[in-house]
Amino acid sequence: VQLQASGGGLVQAGGSLRLSCSASGRTPSTGRMAWFRQVPGKEREFVVAVRSNGASKRYADSVKGRFTISRDYDENTVYLQMNSLKPEDTAVYYCASGVDLLGTWTHSHLHGVYDYWGQGTQVTVSS
């Protein structure tokens, strides 16, 4: 499985960006998908996850009400719509995929439960 993240860029505070994560190869079409972000010198931080059925989503408190995750099963793509961006959202954003095992949703914020990672896309929010 290969994940390709795109859509990052430079935006002013209050602006919006939409990130995309396209999956190819032996795509886990029923897999759990997530976005994490990381700034230099800090741990990779959970942003949002969506279950294989798309019905359950989990957001970090820092992005609730501003970010929205969605998935297109036909295109094997996951999107992250980011609105009302803040300078503290500046980071490299990574998409991730993992098997959506029954009973593991409570761990969906942990990067260790994901098997595949994209290369990351830089998001920079200027003040």
Side-chain angles (χ1 to χ4, degrees):
V1 175
Q2 293 83 43
L3 301 177
Q4 179 72 36
S6 61
L10 173 63
V11 64
Q12 289 189 331
S16 299
L17 282 173
R18 189 177 80 155
L19 305 183
S20 300
C21 177
S22 299
S24 60
R26 292 184 63 185
T27 56
S29 60
T30 58
R32 175 188 307 158
M33 300 292 293
W35 288 94
F36 287 75
R37 64 188 183 186
Q38 190 170 24
V39 298
K42 291 192 175 182
E43 294 284 325
R44 192 165 293 189
E45 176 189 24
F46 170 76
V47 177
V48 61
V50 59
R51 292 204 65 175
S52 56
N53 61 10
S56 296
K57 301 171 184 178
R58 181 177 186 172
Y59 293 90
D61 288 342
S62 58
V63 306
K64 278 181 183 176
R66 301 188 299 121
F67 291 12
T68 303
I69 191 170
S70 60
R71 56 191 308 170
D72 184 327
Y73 293 94
D74 291 337
E75 297 294 328
N76 269 332
T77 300
V78 172
Y79 300 100
L80 181 62
Q81 179 66 43
M82 305 186 296
N83 298 327
S84 302
L85 282 161
K86 304 175 181 180
E88 50 264 43
D89 294 319
T90 295
V92 177
Y93 283 70
Y94 297 91
C95 60
S97 174
V99 178
D100 195 9
L101 297 174
L102 187 66
T104 63
W105 180 240
T106 55
H107 303 304
S108 59
H109 64 292
L110 302 176
H111 59 77
V113 304
Y114 296 93
D115 303 307
Y116 304 101
W117 292 83
Q119 84 288 2
T121 184
Q122 176 71 47
V123 171
T124 303
V125 184
S126 63
S127 57

